[in-house]
């Protein structure tokens, strides 16, 4: 592991182009990016980090500590404070797409390879990360906004005990917070992300615990099954036990292997 981290100032994701629906007085209502860069430079890879929280909040222990871990392996970690309830789809997804594009437009200044920008998320943040990995668009070369001239497709996906389906194995709270109490069945199907996997889905690293009591392990298994069907490279790790929301899992002898396994996998992907 390399040493030292350069923390850049947190800044509003949308800047002066802030959407009208996130211009509230509450700072938590304004999407933000917090870049953590390996001091002295790293591999050039970067990963946008999406903390979990059921689309109702963002868990601190799934943000900065993850970015710092990535920096320790020479990979920039860019923490995204995305919009949560009462904001609904597609607002969080718009934030994730904007974050990926923003990293690419700042690639030279931050010492990042724009072709190695991944996204990582925990729980509902994993749903957001997987949404960005399965619902994306290319660069708009005619846009007056230089950020929009970059693709929103990530080059890798890391999904940690992620909410990935809104089917029978869903985490109902995350779905209701994202789509509202009166969920449109068509949107429920649309955002059951195992159904959105295609050959264009980026290489994926998934991990879960078998006895997760909040987000069933079937979320990761279903997603992996469709990655396999579409011939998308993936790595899947299911650990025997561990409560939901364990983050870096330092107190779990088995699940605590995931960060190193993930770092090794990212390096193999060129990050």
């Amino acid at each position: 592991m390399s040493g030292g981290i350069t923390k850049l100032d947190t800044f509003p994701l949308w800047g002066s182009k802030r959407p009208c629906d996130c211009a509230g007085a509450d700072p938590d209502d304004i999407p933000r990016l917090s870049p953590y860069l390996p001091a002295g430079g790293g591999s050039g890879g970067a990963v946008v980090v999406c903390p979990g929280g059921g689309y109702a909040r963002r868990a601190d222990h799934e943000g900065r500590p993850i970015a710092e871990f990535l920096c320790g392996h020479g990979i920039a970690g860019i923490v995204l404070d995305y919009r949560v309830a009462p904001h609904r789809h597609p607002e969080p997804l718009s934030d994730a797409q904007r974050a990926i594009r923003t990293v690419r437009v700042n690639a030279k200044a931050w010492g990042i390879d724009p072709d190695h920008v991944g996204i990582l998320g925990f729980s509902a943040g994993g749903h957001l990360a997987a949404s960005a990995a399965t619902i994306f668009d290319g660069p708009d070369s005619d846009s007056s906004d230089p950020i929009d001239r970059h693709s929103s497709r990530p080059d890798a996906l890391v999904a940690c005990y992620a909410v990935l389906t809104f089917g029978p194995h869903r985490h109902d709270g995350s779905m209701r917070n994202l789509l509202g109490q009166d969920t449109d069945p068509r949107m429920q199907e649309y955002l059951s992300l195992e159904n959105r996997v295609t050959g264009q889905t980026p290489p994926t690293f998934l991990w879960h615990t078998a006895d997760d009591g909040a987000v069933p392990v079937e979320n990761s298994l279903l997603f992996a099954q469709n990655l396999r069907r579409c011939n998308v490279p993936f790595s899947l790790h299911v650990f025997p036990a561990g409560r939901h929301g364990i983050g870096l899992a330092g107190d779990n002898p088995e699940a605590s292997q995931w960060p190193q396994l993930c770092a090794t996998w990212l390096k193999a992907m060129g990050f």
Side-chain angles (χ1 to χ4, degrees):
M1 294 175 66
S2 59
I5 297 171
T6 300
K7 167 64 170 68
L8 303 185
D9 290 340
T10 298
F11 62 91
L13 175 65
W14 292 88
S16 59
K17 191 183 176 180
R18 218 178 273 169
C20 61
D21 59 7
C22 66
D26 185 348
D28 279 343
D29 212 33
I30 300 173
R32 302 176 298 276
L33 278 185
S34 299
Y36 295 77
L37 309 179
S43 66
V47 174
V48 174
V49 178
C50 304
Y55 281 119
R57 63 194 67 83
R58 296 173 299 270
D60 290 341
H61 73 287
E62 295 169 347
R64 177 186 56 79
I66 311 305
E68 291 178 345
F69 170 80
L70 291 166
C71 283
H73 287 270
I75 301 168
I78 319 293
V79 179
L80 170 62
D81 290 324
Y82 55 92
R83 282 170 284 178
V84 297
H87 297 284
R88 309 293 190 202
H89 176 77
E91 293 164 18
L93 176 57
S94 295
D95 293 340
Q97 293 171 335
R98 181 78 171 182
I100 293 165
R101 289 185 161 112
T102 299
V103 173
R104 289 192 167 121
V105 83
N106 286 286
K108 184 175 181 179
W110 294 351
I112 288 168
D113 179 352
D115 294 325
H116 287 87
V117 178
I119 191 164
L120 176 156
F122 294 85
S123 193
H127 185 272
L128 177 57
S131 295
T134 56
I135 306 171
F136 50 80
D137 49 25
D140 180 358
S141 58
D142 296 325
S143 176
S144 60
D145 183 346
I147 294 176
D148 287 338
R149 296 176 204 154
H150 293 264
S151 170
S152 70
R153 178 188 179 273
D155 299 301
L157 166 64
V158 177
C160 311
Y161 45 82
V163 176
L164 293 168
T165 184
F166 285 163
H169 300 290
R170 68 181 175 270
H171 180 256
D172 203 63
S174 294
M175 184 182 75
R176 303 293 175 188
N177 285 330
L178 183 64
L179 298 180
Q181 292 302 312
D182 298 321
T183 304
D184 182 341
R186 292 170 298 178
M187 289 305 300
Q188 185 174 345
E189 171 71 14
Y190 181 77
L191 290 172
S192 288
L193 301 175
E194 77 277 16
N195 300 323
R196 300 203 58 80
V197 173
T198 71
Q200 296 302 307
T201 303
T204 299
F205 180 99
L206 304 119
W207 76 272
H208 224 112
T209 56
D211 65 349
D212 190 319
V215 178
V217 68
E218 282 83 358
N219 281 259
S220 290
L221 299 179
L222 289 168
F223 199 82
Q225 179 179 338
N226 283 328
L227 290 169
R228 171 62 179 157
R229 177 180 57 82
C230 293
N231 294 315
V232 175
F234 72 94
S235 182
L236 169 65
H237 302 272
V238 178
F239 301 102
R243 61 177 174 80
H244 187 73
I246 54 179
L248 287 169
D251 60 353
N252 185 307
E254 288 145 342
S256 62
Q257 300 173 62
W258 86 261
Q260 184 57 55
L261 290 168
C262 182
T264 300
W265 180 84
L266 284 168
K267 289 297 183 182
M269 295 293 111
F271 281 73

